[in-house]
Amino acid sequence: MRIDLQPIIDRLHEFGQQHLLQTASELTSAELESLVESINTIDLGLIKKLTSDTNSDTSPISDTATVEPPSAFRLTDENIELASGEVVSRAKAVDAGEALLNNHELGVIVVAGGQGTRLGFNHPKGMVPIGELSERTLFQFVTDKIAALSDKYGYGVPLFIMTSPPVHSDTVNFFKENGNFGLDDEQIFFFCQGTMPAVDQATGKLLMQTRSELCLSPNGHGGMLSALKNSGILTWCREQHISTLFYSQIDNPLSQIGDPLLLGIHSLSSADVSMQVIEKQNADDRTGNVVMIDDIIQMIEYSEMPRELATQTIADSGEADRLRYWASNIAVHTFSTEFLARMSEDANALPFHLASKKVSHSKNGELVSPTVPNAFKFEQFIFDLLPHAQNTMVVEVERSVAFAPVKNAPDATFSTVATSRATMNKLYHNWLTESGCSVDDSVIVEINARFAL
């Protein structure tokens, strides 16, 4: 097929990106067609806008005096005040969550676009074996919970797995080869997030992976919003009366998928967003801070949290060692389907954040492997939806029962496969002990959610 390159060349010249086609004459027809297709998917005007002011402050804080700890349902609270002013008990909230599940209104989104490279695992992160005895993968920890919920509440709880281009095929094939781990074909959906090009920090030029490929990377977990819309999932959810979508990330095997307490508080509050948080262990915790700014729940990255706020402790309470800004984001949220649908129509709902990264690329046919950050990558974050929410509920959960992330290489001291397994082992020991069993400390315990629920 002959491609008319002139309109594309003119467009590239307009934005100073004409180098993308400098080797066009050396490419095969298939390579050229693929490159042109990639170029046509990129909003060059947006890229120019994003790179025009790379020093802009991305922190939502303009005045530290406006920042407060979040209004939240703490672990020690038996009652919670809803936005309406109504006070409800923990038990009533759980009942409301059970009602939502019994009405078959819940769907589950799991973000699984990452690779296990940092873990020394050359496959999608969801395929990492995390079960200490069973070698069940992170994906199986999810499907076991979905199967248990489906059995308990009498419907095929829909599972929406967001992948990224590098892991999509491997993920879909993994499920296919394993019969969806017992889930019905009709209840599992794969959808792929979009990508953004990497841009040279010095010149603003898009980087090439090869002579015929751009350097592209996934557009962040916030890419879920447009991907849900483009895949038709939001429309499907409306048609199936799925009013509520539970969101979590694949790297936390203790994610409390479908937790009735969270669902109940969300439902009773008619909230746009509800989120689980844990108490920070110290001021240097590398987790996002959930705060209130001008009476709106927002999330501040740990790197953007002013030190004077991060280290502030509670005064005259007898607990001076407790942090005032205590709430850590663990990326477990519940969304109103209607809220996501509404936000998906707003092209500016989620801003792009710039990250300075080392990006290997091709230049004049030669591979360049930088030793220092040389490029900008662009990502959207799902928590940037919070300022748009009419009502956001914050629910504290115990770290030891709800958070055992797998993020770091084996030689790290936290968030590794080993620390995740240790957290789960201790939890399962506690479950058995509280049930009247006697378990030796040396025994490794693993309990499948299909049984536990």
Side-chain angles (χ1 to χ4, degrees):
M1 181 181 71
R2 188 176 183 279
I3 302 174
D4 182 5
L5 293 179
Q6 195 57 50
I8 301 166
I9 292 172
D10 292 342
R11 180 164 157 258
L12 291 177
H13 269 282
E14 180 184 353
F15 293 99
Q17 303 289 352
Q18 57 269 24
H19 67 287
L20 298 182
L21 287 178
Q22 67 183 9
T23 61
S25 61
E26 303 170 22
L27 303 179
T28 67
S29 296
E31 288 174 333
L32 181 59
E33 185 176 347
S34 176
L35 177 58
V36 168
E37 184 178 347
S38 293
I39 293 172
N40 285 336
T41 63
I42 295 171
D43 185 339
L44 295 176
L46 174 63
I47 298 299
K48 183 176 181 179
K49 180 180 178 182
L50 292 174
T51 55
S52 62
D53 183 11
T54 57
N55 296 314
S56 60
D57 183 10
T58 58
S59 172
I61 300 177
S62 57
D63 180 0
T64 57
T66 66
V67 185
E68 296 287 338
S71 174
F73 186 37
R74 301 295 305 265
L75 288 171
T76 54
D77 294 338
E78 281 303 316
N79 299 305
I80 183 170
E81 183 176 347
L82 306 178
S84 63
E86 179 186 3
V87 176
V88 300
S89 67
R90 183 178 292 265
K92 183 174 180 180
V94 170
D95 287 344
E98 296 273 359
L100 187 147
L101 286 159
N102 281 316
N103 288 336
H104 304 172
E105 295 181 49
L106 180 71
V108 174
I109 300 169
V110 173
V111 177
Q115 294 175 301
T117 308
R118 195 187 301 178
L119 310 177
F121 186 77
N122 194 29
H123 300 284
K125 184 183 283 189
M127 292 168 60
V128 169
I130 192 65
E132 192 162 6
L133 297 175
S134 67
E135 293 287 302
R136 285 155 56 232
T137 64
L138 287 166
F139 278 134
Q140 285 169 270
F141 270 68
V142 171
T143 55
D144 287 335
K145 291 173 187 177
I146 297 296
L149 287 170
S150 298
D151 288 344
K152 184 171 183 178
Y153 296 104
Y155 79 113
V157 175
L159 172 61
F160 309 103
I161 297 177
M162 186 173 84
T163 66
S164 65
V167 304
H168 184 78
S169 295
D170 285 346
T171 299
V172 173
N173 290 336
F174 183 61
F175 274 78
K176 184 177 181 180
E177 291 165 1
N178 289 279
N180 290 338
F181 301 102
L183 300 184
D184 293 336
D185 289 342
E186 293 76 19
Q187 73 179 115
I188 188 164
F189 306 79
F190 298 97
F191 67 110
C192 193
Q193 69 187 110
T195 59
M196 287 287 283
V199 175
D200 184 88
Q201 287 184 179
T203 65
K205 294 185 181 297
L206 275 64
L207 297 177
M208 300 290 291
Q209 185 74 39
T210 66
R211 294 185 311 163
S212 61
E213 296 174 300
L214 301 176
C215 284
L216 301 174
S217 57
N219 58 0
H221 46 69
M224 178 193 82
L225 189 63
S226 58
L228 283 173
K229 176 187 176 183
N230 296 337
S231 65
I233 286 174
L234 289 175
T235 299
W236 184 91
C237 286
R238 283 169 149 173
E239 293 171 348
Q240 300 299 317
H241 308 292
I242 301 297
S243 67
T244 307
L245 290 165
F246 182 97
Y247 165 99
S248 66
Q249 297 179 355
I250 191 61
D251 59 16
N252 179 18
L254 283 187
S255 174
Q256 297 179 320
I257 293 175
D259 174 47
L261 177 63
L262 180 67
L263 296 179
I265 291 172
H266 179 83
S267 177
L268 291 171
S269 304
S270 299
D272 282 339
V273 184
S274 298
M275 57 195 310
Q276 285 187 339
V277 297
I278 57 175
E279 185 171 8
K280 295 178 68 173
Q281 294 174 312
N282 56 67
D284 296 315
D285 262 7
R286 295 169 68 87
T287 52
N289 300 270
V290 179
V291 301
M292 196 128 61
I293 302 176
D294 293 326
D295 297 323
I296 297 173
I297 297 293
Q298 297 200 47
M299 218 288 295
I300 304 173
E301 289 281 27
Y302 67 87
S303 58
E304 298 174 347
M305 186 73 166
R307 188 67 182 171
E308 67 268 26
L309 296 184
T311 57
Q312 201 173 118
T313 54
I314 300 172
D316 64 29
S317 66
E319 300 180 83
D321 59 334
R322 298 194 71 175
L323 295 171
R324 183 164 185 255
Y325 295 93
W326 59 271
S328 282
N329 175 42
I330 60 172
V332 173
H333 312 314
T334 297
F335 294 103
S336 156
T337 303
E338 286 303 314
F339 173 66
L340 290 181
R342 187 168 70 249
M343 288 295 97
S344 71
E345 298 299 328
D346 182 355
N348 299 312
L350 293 176
F352 279 97
H353 296 254
L354 274 68
S356 181
K357 301 284 187 179
K358 290 187 290 186
V359 177
S360 297
H361 59 283
S362 174
K363 186 173 184 179
N364 299 322
E366 299 291 329
L367 177 64
V368 178
S369 299
T371 57
V372 296
N374 64 308
F376 289 122
K377 288 187 175 183
F378 307 94
E379 291 184 310
Q380 292 174 310
F381 300 143
I382 199 65
F383 52 71
D384 281 329
L385 286 177
L386 291 173
H388 300 281
Q390 294 299 312
N391 188 13
T392 301
M393 304 302 293
V394 178
V395 181
E396 183 187 7
V397 290
E398 186 67 50
R399 177 187 296 264
S400 62
V401 305
F403 193 54
V406 182
K407 295 180 180 293
N408 296 325
D411 58 353
T413 58
F414 63 97
S415 299
T416 66
V417 168
T419 60
S420 180
R421 285 176 169 175
T423 299
M424 290 190 285
N425 183 49
K426 185 175 181 180
L427 174 64
Y428 300 146
H429 267 256
N430 290 341
W431 285 358
L432 292 178
T433 301
E434 290 167 3
S435 299
C437 298
S438 178
V439 189
D440 189 275
D441 289 344
S442 65
V443 173
I444 297 171
V445 179
E446 182 182 336
I447 301 178
N448 192 309
R450 294 180 188 239
F451 172 79
L453 191 65

